């Protein structure tokens, strides 16, 4: 009887030990499963964050495309008259683009030129010649509206927000367009400003200078200090 009881107890102890081992194995397996699930959850969270970033980028691209479409539609209503165009038609077009439509151009020519110069600085004839030179000597596509906007900026130095409101383009488009056309105008300098071929007997003053009044020359009065811009001695 005692041997049988001892045997049963040993069998039970072995079973308990086996069950404890199986329990530990199951706990280890569940721990590994939970660890793997947490890693997958973290991975999914990271992918979700990346998808949000990509969605934000796509939204920005879509917004930019919409803006470009709107700008193209806006500019489509501002197309220049068909070529060829003379400086008179250019004057009318330039005024209409800055708020002086056909009904407001029924004024004397002097006033129209004053309005033009207030916005563009140089005369329509000069802009017309510049337009011809850019189309003749430059391979890049030419846009008259972009040229007028750039010349207007050179005259008034408006901020890009003001340019955007006046010309119906985004700030970035205005900024990049003005920079591009400014460089294109500057690249014509060797063709437009040249003193080659002049006679050696020619006498001329500097093309342009800045005259500043100063009083140091009073100690050395002379007509050599005459200022062609002040039309007098600059020390006065």
């Amino acid at each position: 009887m005692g041997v049988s009881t001892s045997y049963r107890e040993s069998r039970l102890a072995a079973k308990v030990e086996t069950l404890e081992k199986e329990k530990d194995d199951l706990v280890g397996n569940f721990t590994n499963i939970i660890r793997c699930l947490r890693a997958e959850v973290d991975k999914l969270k990271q992918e979700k964050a990346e998808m949000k970033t990509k969605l934000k980028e796509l939204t920005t691209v879509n917004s930019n495309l919409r803006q470009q479409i709107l700008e193209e539609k806006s500019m489509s209503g501002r197309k220049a008259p068909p070529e060829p165009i003379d400086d008179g038609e250019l004057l009318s077009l330039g005024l209409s683009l800055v708020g002086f439509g056909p009904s407001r151009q029924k004024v004397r020519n002097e006033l129209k030129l004053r309005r033009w110069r207030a916005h563009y600085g140089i005369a329509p004839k000069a802009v017309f010649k510049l337009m011809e030179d850019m189309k003749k000597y430059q391979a890049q596509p030419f846009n008259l509206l972009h040229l007028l906007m750039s010349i207007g900026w050179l005259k008034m130095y408006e901020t890009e927000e003001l340019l955007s409101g006046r010309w119906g383009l985004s700030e970035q488009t205005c900024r990049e367009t003005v920079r591009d056309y400014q460089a294109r105008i500057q690249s014509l300098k060797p063709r437009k400003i040249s003193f080659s071929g002049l006679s050696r007997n020619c006498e001329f003053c500097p093309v342009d200078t800045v005259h500043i009044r100063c009083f140091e020359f009073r100690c050395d009065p002379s007509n050599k200090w005459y200022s062609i811009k002040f039309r007098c001695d600059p020390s006065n």
Side-chain angles (χ1 to χ4, degrees), residues 64 66-78 96-99 145-146 149 158-175 177:
N64 292 337
R66 286 177 177 270
Q67 181 66 29
Q68 291 179 5
I69 292 172
L70 291 175
E71 289 177 1
E72 291 177 358
K73 289 182 178 180
S74 174
M75 296 301 289
S76 64
R78 291 183 168 187
S96 65
L97 291 175
V98 294
L145 299 174
H146 290 174
M149 178 178 69
E158 293 177 306
T159 62
E160 57 190 41
E161 291 79 13
L162 291 175
L163 288 174
S164 176
R166 182 188 299 276
W167 297 93
L169 302 171
S170 68
E171 286 82 356
Q172 180 181 356
T173 301
C174 291
R175 179 173 62 251
T177 299

Side-chain angles (χ1 to χ4, degrees), residues 66-205:
R66 286 177 177 270
Q67 181 66 29
Q68 291 179 5
I69 292 172
L70 291 175
E71 289 177 1
E72 291 177 358
K73 289 182 178 180
S74 174
M75 296 301 289
S76 64
R78 291 183 168 187
K79 288 184 179 178
E83 301 284 348
I85 183 175
D86 59 21
D87 58 285
E89 291 178 341
L90 181 60
L91 171 63
S92 178
L93 172 65
L95 289 177
S96 65
L97 291 175
V98 294
F100 297 100
S103 61
R104 301 189 63 189
Q105 294 185 29
K106 298 177 181 179
V107 295
R108 65 188 186 278
N109 194 58
E110 180 185 355
L111 179 56
K112 289 195 291 186
L113 288 173
R114 279 171 46 203
R115 290 172 174 176
W116 168 280
R117 286 185 176 275
H119 289 85
Y120 303 108
I122 58 177
K125 288 184 179 180
V127 177
F128 181 68
K129 292 295 183 181
L130 174 61
M131 177 183 68
E132 288 184 328
D133 288 338
M134 293 181 73
K135 290 190 292 184
K136 181 178 179 181
Y137 298 115
Q138 296 178 348
Q140 304 98 312
F142 175 80
N143 188 312
L144 177 57
L145 299 174
H146 290 174
L147 174 63
L148 291 176
M149 178 178 69
S150 302
I151 293 175
W153 178 82
L154 290 171
K155 163 64 177 176
M156 295 183 286
Y157 289 97
E158 293 177 306
T159 62
E160 57 190 41
E161 291 79 13
L162 291 175
L163 288 174
S164 176
R166 182 188 299 276
W167 297 93
L169 302 171
S170 68
E171 286 82 356
Q172 180 181 356
T173 301
C174 291
R175 179 173 62 251
E176 294 176 353
T177 299
V178 167
R179 286 176 178 173
D180 178 42
Y181 272 76
Q182 179 185 358
R184 290 175 62 177
I185 293 171
Q186 186 179 20
S187 68
L188 293 171
K189 177 183 176 181
R191 294 182 179 273
K192 306 305 294 181
I193 302 178
S194 175
F195 299 103
S196 61
L198 293 177
S199 171
R200 294 183 177 180
N201 298 324
C202 288
E203 295 181 1
F204 53 88
C205 294

